[in-house]
Amino acid sequence: MTQEVRKQLGEPKNDLERDTLNYIEPLITEMISEDIIGKGLTLKGCLESCFKKGKKFEVKAGSHGVARISEDQHFKWVREYFGIEEAPSSDKCIAIAEPKKPAGLALDFDSLLD
């Protein structure tokens, strides 16, 4: 990725922008680079586009709206925004690791009743 493309995308301001950059970086071709610069595409604009699309799935929860979007759906929208035709093969992209769940405590609840 050229410095010009990197500058146009903008510096990631949060984890979601950083994950998006890590995902698209190995997928950026010369043609995609031209689109990024020519169309003024940015990480911030990409996430705004994804959030706008996610609004269609919003469910009201009290005074707030909530939408649960899968990681696959999110990255599909990312690819659409940047004009990336296909999902990457596993050898081209960095996998976003699932957070590790803390090990559970082994408790015998019956022993607490004694």
Side-chain angles (χ1 to χ4, degrees):
M1 177 172 20
T2 67
Q3 290 292 358
E4 187 178 9
V5 171
R6 181 86 160 141
K7 184 177 178 181
Q8 175 60 45
L9 288 172
E11 196 62 37
K13 305 244 186 294
N14 56 50
D15 288 342
L16 193 50
E17 286 185 6
R18 195 170 351 297
D19 287 348
T20 300
L21 179 62
N22 288 339
Y23 178 80
I24 66 165
E25 196 167 24
L27 306 175
I28 295 176
T29 63
E30 188 174 324
M31 196 160 96
I32 301 295
S33 293
E34 290 172 9
D35 281 349
I36 289 171
I37 294 166
K39 295 178 180 178
L41 303 178
T42 63
L43 293 172
K44 181 179 178 183
C46 177
L47 294 184
E48 287 172 356
S49 174
C50 291
F51 285 126
K52 184 177 177 181
K53 289 180 183 221
K55 283 275 193 189
K56 295 176 186 173
F57 300 94
E58 185 176 46
V59 175
K60 292 294 179 190
S63 62
H64 296 28
V66 177
R68 185 166 187 128
I69 305 299
S70 72
E71 192 173 282
D72 288 340
Q73 181 62 61
H74 168 71
F75 286 116
K76 179 181 178 192
W77 291 339
V78 167
R79 289 190 307 276
E80 286 174 8
Y81 178 83
F82 287 107
I84 298 168
E85 296 291 322
E86 297 178 24
S89 62
S90 61
D91 64 334
K92 280 192 167 183
C93 73
I94 299 169
I96 307 300
E98 289 289 321
K100 292 186 179 183
K101 295 179 180 162
L105 298 174
L107 293 177
D108 176 9
F109 287 105
D110 290 332
S111 68
L112 296 174
L113 298 173
D114 293 330

